[in-house]
Amino acid sequence: MTDATVRARPSTVREAKVVTYARLAKLDVFDYYLSLLVVLSAVLLPIGDFDPAVLTTLGLFGLGAVLMTASLVAFDDLTGYRDGSDTANYRANPTLRRARRKPLVTGALTEPEVECFGWLTAIAGAAVFAVAVMTAPHAPQWTIWLIVANFVVGIQYSYGLKISYHGFQEAYIAALGWVMVLAPYGLVTGRFDGFVLVQALLFGLGPLLFGVYSNTNDIAGDRAVGRPTVAALTTPRGNRRFVAALSLGEFLLGAVASATGVAPWWFVLLMLPVTVLRVRQFGIGFGARGDILRARAIGFTAHRVGAALLVAANLVLAVTK
């Protein structure tokens, strides 16, 4: 063994740990953070009136959101490992579920390491959120309370109060998306807007409509540990109807917004590609083939297409005013 090899080994170990912690934080799943592009598109035009402080606020809010989410998923992995559900769900089909995304299951990280990471990212996230609020162009009280409530509840998702173990998993998955649009919009504009609310509701349904497919795949593991998702609590037919209702509700939300004037008349037409993807997703997941994980993957695509269309809607609306 050469001196060069000895010197190289620590840096290699550090790099591996960084990658492992990135997997723990689920940094490859960026779907919630697309909300920042939606908000930016809503306030970008006219460029002559654009306040550069908006970029700082959105950047700080985004960093706080990444840190908070990293804490949430770290604690979720810790709880899932301790109760055995992650081991059951991921080792059942490691090829499809990519067990490496669960460093505790693979043994890449220890419980104390994950718990420490969860608390450090939670503290850092709270600090960054505080700076974002203090330096924002606006900070209405409803926005501050929304951020605080979301942060406190998020840390309790699978840790502490464990709200996802008491029937609130699906509600929080959607609510996190809603907050990720409404809160930064309030910080940079100081106001509440009906069309932005519609966009927030649609944005939050995106993660929910790939989360419920994950829950369908994880029924056995969730039932074994008493995690009461809708999929685990109801019958296969009841779960199928629940997912169908969410998919239909997403379309109806845009349709009603267009019909009532809250959104432009063309908004429902612009969002039709998402509806088409939802129909395909449901057919693949609950049709004859029953390929739930493939349907879940389509859910990611649908959400990302939807976010891009929300950005397009804001830009079109801005240039046509």
Side-chain angles (χ1 to χ4, degrees):
M1 183 179 297
T2 65
D3 291 341
T5 303
V6 173
R7 287 194 299 270
R9 179 170 293 176
S11 62
T12 302
V13 172
R14 284 196 296 271
E15 182 180 6
K17 279 291 187 181
V18 168
V19 172
T20 302
Y21 279 115
R23 290 198 189 102
L24 176 66
K26 311 298 184 287
L27 294 183
D28 60 320
V29 182
F30 53 84
D31 297 83
Y32 276 116
Y33 314 133
L34 295 175
S35 65
L36 301 177
L37 296 178
V38 175
V39 174
L40 180 61
S41 68
V43 300
L44 180 61
L45 298 176
I47 293 178
D49 296 332
F50 183 74
D51 184 357
V54 167
L55 294 178
T56 301
T57 298
L58 291 181
L60 287 169
F61 182 89
L63 178 58
V66 169
L67 290 166
M68 185 204 78
T69 305
S71 175
L72 184 158
V73 296
F75 285 137
D76 186 59
D77 279 11
L78 182 64
T79 300
Y81 178 74
R82 286 174 172 173
D83 65 25
S85 59
D86 275 355
T87 302
N89 292 332
Y90 277 77
R91 286 185 176 172
N93 197 333
T95 300
L96 290 177
R97 293 305 300 271
R98 293 188 296 169
R100 287 196 309 165
R101 291 169 53 78
K102 296 288 185 176
L104 281 168
V105 174
T106 62
L109 291 175
T110 65
E111 291 185 42
E113 286 176 324
V114 171
E115 190 163 25
C116 181
F117 178 82
W119 281 115
L120 288 177
T121 50
I123 294 168
V128 174
F129 274 139
V131 174
V133 169
M134 290 186 293
T135 60
H138 306 275
Q141 286 293 314
W142 66 267
T143 302
I144 296 173
W145 284 112
L146 199 60
I147 294 171
V148 171
N150 179 63
F151 181 86
V152 172
V153 173
I155 302 304
Q156 308 291 319
Y157 178 74
S158 296
Y159 195 78
L161 295 178
K162 298 183 181 179
I163 64 168
S164 67
Y165 284 72
H166 294 87
F168 296 99
Q169 190 209 54
E170 290 88 356
Y172 182 74
I173 290 174
L176 178 57
W178 303 339
V179 173
M180 289 286 286
V181 174
L182 293 175
Y185 183 80
L187 290 179
V188 300
T189 68
R191 63 178 184 268
F192 186 88
D193 182 271
F195 184 38
V196 172
L197 174 61
V198 170
Q199 293 182 64
L201 294 174
L202 288 172
F203 187 86
L205 284 173
L208 179 57
L209 277 165
F210 53 73
V212 290
Y213 285 85
S214 290
N215 290 345
T216 301
N217 185 73
D218 294 345
I219 288 175
D222 288 338
R223 282 177 175 168
V225 301
R227 194 170 195 174
T229 64
V230 171
L233 289 173
T234 189
T235 63
R237 174 178 289 185
N239 181 52
R240 186 167 61 249
R241 288 177 175 175
F242 173 66
V243 176
L246 289 176
S247 304
L248 178 61
E250 182 183 52
F251 167 76
L252 291 177
L253 178 59
V256 170
S258 288
T260 58
V262 175
W265 65 267
W266 43 262
F267 181 68
V268 63
L269 301 178
L270 179 70
M271 300 301 292
L272 280 178
V274 178
T275 303
V276 172
L277 285 170
R278 293 298 181 209
V279 172
R280 183 165 179 259
Q281 180 187 21
F282 187 84
I284 289 174
F286 292 98
R289 295 176 61 184
D291 194 339
I292 289 295
L293 290 179
R294 186 180 169 205
R296 176 179 180 267
I298 294 172
F300 282 96
T301 300
H303 176 65
R304 292 165 187 176
V305 169
L309 292 175
L310 292 178
V311 170
N314 286 329
L315 295 178
V316 170
L317 192 62
V319 299
T320 57
K321 280 184 178 180

